[in-house]
């Protein structure tokens, strides 16, 4: 009776979209039309959004261009990650989809066309996009990237002496520490702090990809 699409990166064609009696619905983890395309929830966190949006649309053969039948948003704290965002979105989606199905059954479903002038497309992210540019990214930029692609993803990364270091958790410290971007510092026994474009970010969880016992040391530096 109804096809529900959730979490697929592929663009479905009309034979499938119209196969069910009541057509199809697509659960999209971003507000539309501003976050069309891939990895919308990751992108919202990377952009430092405090309110994240989700949408349900009637899909067509375009890239997230279908009419909107439901949407909602939720708050994501600075200390929360993609895991928290996915869990919150899934709870809201489960309620929204039930509401939409009842509207379909009752013949009251309203579909609102998207405003094309506000449309923005984002590419599907891959692992290479997680490389940190210490010279151009602020501490907040780095913190948002890390929490956007931490577990269950592979994590953000940088290179120290040709070794890839995965970073899974960071925080914005109360101290203001400045210097050369990429420089690794310890301050009064705390750290490692990594200098970014404006100031340092604190690394709370990391791992050398080739050596799980590897440690960052004061005076080393990430390649910029």
């Amino acid at each position: 009776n109804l096809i529900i699409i959730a979490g697929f990166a592929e663009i479905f064609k009309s034979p499938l979209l119209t196969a069910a009696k009541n057509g199809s619905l697509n659960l999209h983890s971003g507000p539309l039309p501003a976050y069309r395309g891939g990895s919308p929830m990751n992108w919202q966190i990377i952009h430092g959004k405090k309110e994240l949006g989700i949408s349900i649309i009637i899909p067509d053969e375009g890239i997230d261009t279908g009419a909107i039948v439901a949407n909602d948003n939720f708050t994501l704290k600075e200390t929360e990650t993609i895991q928290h965002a996915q869990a919150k979105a899934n709870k809201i989606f489960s309620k929204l989809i039930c509401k939409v199905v009842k509207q379909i059954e009752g013949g009251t479903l309203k579909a609102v066309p998207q405003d094309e002038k506000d449309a923005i497309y984002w590419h599907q992210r891959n692992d290479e996009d997680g490389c940190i540019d210490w010279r151009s990214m602020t501490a907040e930029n780095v913190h948002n990237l890390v929490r956007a692609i931490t577990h269950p993803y592979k994590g953000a990364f940088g290179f120290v002496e040709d070794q890839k270091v995965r970073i899974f958790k960071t925080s914005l410290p109360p101290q203001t520490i400045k210097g050369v971007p990429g420089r690794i510092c310890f301050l009064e026994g705390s750290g490692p702090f990594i200098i970014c474009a404006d100031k340092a970010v604190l690394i709370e969880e990391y791992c050398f990809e080739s050596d799980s016992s590897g440690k960052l040391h004061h005076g080393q530096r990430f390649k910029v």
Side-chain angles (χ1 to χ4, degrees), residues 132 134 157-167 177-196 199-204 206-208 214-224:
I132 299 171
W134 305 98
F157 64 90
F159 292 90
V160 176
E161 297 177 355
D162 295 325
Q163 295 188 72
K164 182 181 284 188
V165 181
R166 292 283 180 178
I167 300 174
I177 307 171
K178 292 178 174 284
V180 178
R183 180 70 178 266
I184 300 168
C185 304
F186 284 77
L187 183 65
E188 298 178 342
S190 297
F193 299 94
I194 315 297
I195 309 298
C196 305
K199 58 182 180 179
V201 65
L202 175 62
I203 309 300
E204 297 188 14
Y206 68 91
C207 180
F208 280 76
K215 298 293 182 183
L216 296 174
H217 300 286
H218 182 81
Q220 289 181 307
R221 69 179 69 236
F222 279 90
K223 289 185 176 181
V224 295

Side-chain angles (χ1 to χ4, degrees), residues 78-95:
E78 183 185 276
T79 55
E80 293 181 312
T81 70
I82 185 64
Q83 283 185 312
H84 299 97
Q86 290 172 339
K88 291 181 179 184
N90 287 341
K91 286 185 178 180
I92 298 173
F93 270 133
S94 67
K95 295 177 181 178

Side-chain angles (χ1 to χ4, degrees), residues 96-154:
L96 282 183
I97 196 66
C98 289
K99 180 180 177 181
V100 171
V101 168
K102 287 181 180 178
Q103 291 173 344
I104 292 174
E105 291 176 333
T108 61
L109 185 68
K110 294 182 180 180
V112 180
Q114 297 183 40
D115 191 339
E116 288 298 319
K117 75 176 188 301
D118 296 326
I120 301 174
Y121 292 87
W122 299 91
H123 68 73
Q124 185 77 31
R125 294 185 61 84
N126 60 30
D127 185 42
E128 292 182 4
D129 298 323
C131 186
I132 299 171
D133 185 347
W134 305 98
R135 182 175 289 166
S136 67
M137 296 174 67
T138 66
E140 185 175 1
N141 293 155
V142 172
H143 176 60
N144 288 334
L145 176 64
V146 169
R147 66 194 187 99
I149 59 174
T150 188
H151 311 296
Y153 301 98
K154 290 185 176 182

